[in-house]
Amino acid sequence: MPAETDLAQGVIAGDRRALARAITLVESARPDHRIRALALVEAARATGRQALRLGLSGTPGVGKSTFIESFGCLLTGQGLRVAVLAVDPSSARTGGSILGDKTRMERLSRDPRAFIRPSPSQTHLGGVARRTREAVALCEAAGFDVVLIETVGVGQSETMVADLCDLFLLLIAPAGGDELQGVKRGIMEMADLILVNKADGDLKPAALRTMADYAGALRLLRRRPQDPPGFPKALCVSALAEDGLRPAWEEMQTLARWRADHGHATARRAAQARRWFEAEVREGLLSVLTRDPGRRALADLGAQVESGALGPETAAARLLALLAAPPSS
Ligand code: GDP
């Protein structure tokens, strides 16, 4: 136990090595590590410190790393401490991307006010979600002002990140044609700001057109009661030329302040916490079913349902009763 207290104290004192070790602990699936990780995260949450949590999504190549580097440096230049967490459920497949990210965010990774944590090599989205939530809590306890959570625009990881953050940013590239690049309506609805990147050089006219298209599309979405007029917005930026980043940050602050002043920020976090709790319970129940005696019962009862010996409802009720009172053997 003293090790945990030391680690928690190190995190709370803002020691980056302690923070890195603490995140490694929350990433571990070992049951004894889990117990220690939970104590650590509780200690972190007890500090009551909060950061602005920014989610950032976009397809590979859109410029996420470049954006994080420029935007992160803009924030640290203003004296803010910035933590970057990556969520990439496919990182087990693209094992090399971790190194790539670090080298692409070279300036930011050398910045003493920044902390960059690449994605863990985990394929299971539930595990990634939990690890990221806990890592956010640890970064907040370590005194970071902004936590940027980056995800590649694939599958459910966007929904997960949107459910972790205060503001969700969608980075897109200038489109050649007139269609909205197949960005799904659901993702548009999650976005608080759509940032059309690469608005520089030859790409600038296309970026401006794309921005206008998205601004039009956003106007067609129903205005959300938790937003001031004019949001969600589409803006042009150039991560490479470091252009438009300051106005984008101002928009983020305006929206965050408005939501805080109107009680929406607290309500959003409360609703998220409740969903995380329910997701954890679901995960926990599912994991019981992958272990004996749950797994055996699931197989046995399943076979009885198939053979017609038991109705599906009765079999399910028996299984649930078994989980409620597991046999001691
Ligand atoms: P990621 O896969 O989303 O992280 O994208 P990267 O940040 O690695 O960028 C992909 C490519 O787009 C790189 O060659 C970048 O130099 C380029 N890029 C990123 N941002 C900009 C930008 O603002 N303007 C231009 N012209 N190129 C950019």
Side-chain angles (χ1 to χ4, degrees):
M1 252 358 204
E4 259 64 77
T5 319
D6 284 353
L7 197 52
Q9 277 170 358
V11 169
I12 293 164
D15 174 358
R16 285 143 51 113
R17 279 182 45 208
L19 177 60
R21 277 177 45 219
I23 295 179
T24 303
L25 189 64
V26 303
E27 281 170 4
S28 171
R30 265 176 51 181
D32 58 326
H33 285 175
R34 260 332 286 151
I35 293 166
R36 292 169 54 197
L38 280 179
L40 194 60
V41 172
E42 279 307 311
R45 294 216 164 102
T47 63
R49 290 181 185 163
Q50 293 199 338
L52 178 65
R53 304 172 186 166
L54 297 177
L56 175 72
S57 177
T59 48
V62 73
K64 291 183 298 301
S65 310
T66 314
F67 177 82
I68 292 170
E69 165 101 335
S70 314
F71 183 66
C73 288
L74 171 79
L75 299 187
T76 58
Q78 295 184 357
L80 297 170
R81 297 182 68 215
V82 180
V84 179
L85 303 172
V87 174
D88 180 4
S90 63
S91 67
R93 186 169 45 80
T94 56
S97 71
I98 290 169
L99 217 89
D101 278 348
K102 275 266 181 185
T103 48
R104 275 182 293 171
M105 297 177 202
E106 207 181 324
R107 228 174 357 128
L108 193 62
S109 59
R110 282 200 313 263
D111 192 322
R113 290 207 181 90
F115 174 84
I116 301 178
R117 181 74 176 193
S119 199
S121 48
Q122 236 173 336
T123 43
H124 172 44
L125 193 64
V128 175
R130 176 202 283 156
R131 165 266 176 194
T132 310
R133 286 197 307 263
E134 294 182 335
V136 169
L138 293 170
C139 291
E140 291 186 325
F144 284 92
D145 303 292
V146 175
V147 180
L148 242 169
I149 310 148
E150 178 211 3
T151 185
V152 287
V154 290
Q156 290 175 297
S157 66
E158 270 165 330
T159 316
M160 189 204 100
V161 169
D163 215 20
L164 274 173
C165 63
D166 301 317
L167 302 182
F168 188 68
L169 316 173
L170 180 63
L171 210 59
I172 58 166
D178 51 6
E179 105 282 18
L180 293 180
Q181 291 178 59
V183 172
K184 290 184 217 85
R185 192 189 159 92
I187 292 162
M188 292 252 305
E189 282 172 349
M190 288 189 289
D192 294 304
L193 278 185
I194 290 184
L195 302 174
V196 184
N197 191 33
K198 309 195 183 184
D200 50 48
D202 293 348
L203 289 169
K204 189 150 190 178
L208 288 168
R209 261 199 321 274
T210 305
M211 180 186 76
D213 288 347
Y214 277 94
L218 287 174
R219 271 195 295 275
L220 295 178
L221 296 177
R222 198 156 49 92
R223 188 167 91 75
R224 297 176 290 199
Q226 73 270 28
D227 288 349
F231 283 93
K233 276 188 186 173
L235 303 172
C236 275
V237 295
S238 167
L240 201 63
E242 303 187 15
D243 200 16
L245 301 177
R246 203 176 288 272
W249 172 227
E250 279 161 15
E251 296 287 3
M252 290 175 219
Q253 288 173 292
T254 301
L255 184 54
R257 221 174 290 128
W258 198 91
R259 286 188 183 164
D261 290 348
H262 292 78
H264 297 309
T266 313
R268 179 178 169 118
R269 286 200 177 190
Q272 287 175 338
R274 173 142 207 145
R275 282 196 294 275
W276 301 343
F277 159 70
E278 288 170 4
E280 278 293 304
V281 171
R282 258 195 312 276
E283 284 277 320
L285 287 175
L286 283 176
S287 78
V288 169
L289 292 180
T290 63
R291 292 195 304 264
D292 278 331
R295 187 176 54 162
R296 218 176 333 127
L298 186 67
D300 291 349
L301 290 164
Q304 291 185 56
V305 171
E306 262 187 63
S307 72
L310 269 184
E313 298 80 8
T314 309
R318 282 199 194 165
L319 186 73
L320 293 175
L322 185 73
L323 294 183
S328 49
S329 67

